[in-house]
Amino acid sequence: QVQVVESGGGLVQPGGSLRLSCAASGFTFSSYVMRWYRQAPGKEREWVATIGVLGSFTSYADTVKGRFTISRDNAKNTVYLQMNSLKPEDTAVYYCNARWSAFDDYWGQGTQVTVSS
């Protein structure tokens, strides 16, 4: 069965760091573009970062560029989001997305990140 499972969220102070993980199974992970999204209370889901199938291409939302780093380990079927210099406005549920086509598009359950002093 297809599974996409995020982990690593939690409570952190402004300026702190967290590393999110997304473990995938049930499909050919190395064929899928991976993305991170987030959704804050009362706001629409927004795109955060993308990584290509080989890991050489990455792209980031302007709001996180220079602070967040997306990476993947195809041998471990895992994608990561390293989040540094966290701000209160980064508080959200973070979701992992795996996409090969419009018909092969999988989402995790999300992991909560709270940035607060």
Side-chain angles (χ1 to χ4, degrees):
Q1 64 185 45
V2 171
Q3 285 191 300
V4 179
V5 181
E6 303 95 334
S7 62
L11 175 64
V12 65
Q13 294 184 350
S17 297
L18 284 174
R19 190 192 196 198
L20 306 183
S21 297
C22 173
S25 61
F27 59 94
T28 305
F29 178 80
S30 60
S31 296
Y32 282 70
V33 173
M34 303 298 296
R35 293 176 172 88
W36 286 96
Y37 291 81
R38 67 187 183 187
Q39 187 166 24
K43 300 181 67 176
E44 293 186 340
R45 184 180 63 188
E46 65 173 331
W47 167 74
V48 174
T50 298
I51 188 164
V53 296
L54 298 178
S56 56
F57 170 81
T58 58
S59 185
Y60 301 91
D62 288 341
T63 50
V64 307
K65 191 173 297 182
R67 300 187 297 119
F68 290 11
T69 302
I70 189 171
S71 61
R72 69 191 294 162
D73 187 340
N74 285 348
K76 296 181 178 180
N77 286 3
T78 302
V79 63
Y80 306 95
L81 186 68
Q82 178 67 46
M83 306 185 295
N84 299 325
S85 301
L86 283 162
K87 306 174 181 179
E89 50 263 47
D90 295 319
T91 296
V93 177
Y94 283 72
Y95 297 93
C96 180
N97 169 254
R99 174 178 276 259
W100 184 55
S101 73
F103 308 104
D104 299 272
D105 188 8
Y106 307 122
W107 293 84
Q109 83 293 335
T111 186
Q112 176 71 49
V113 172
T114 302
V115 185
S116 177
S117 58

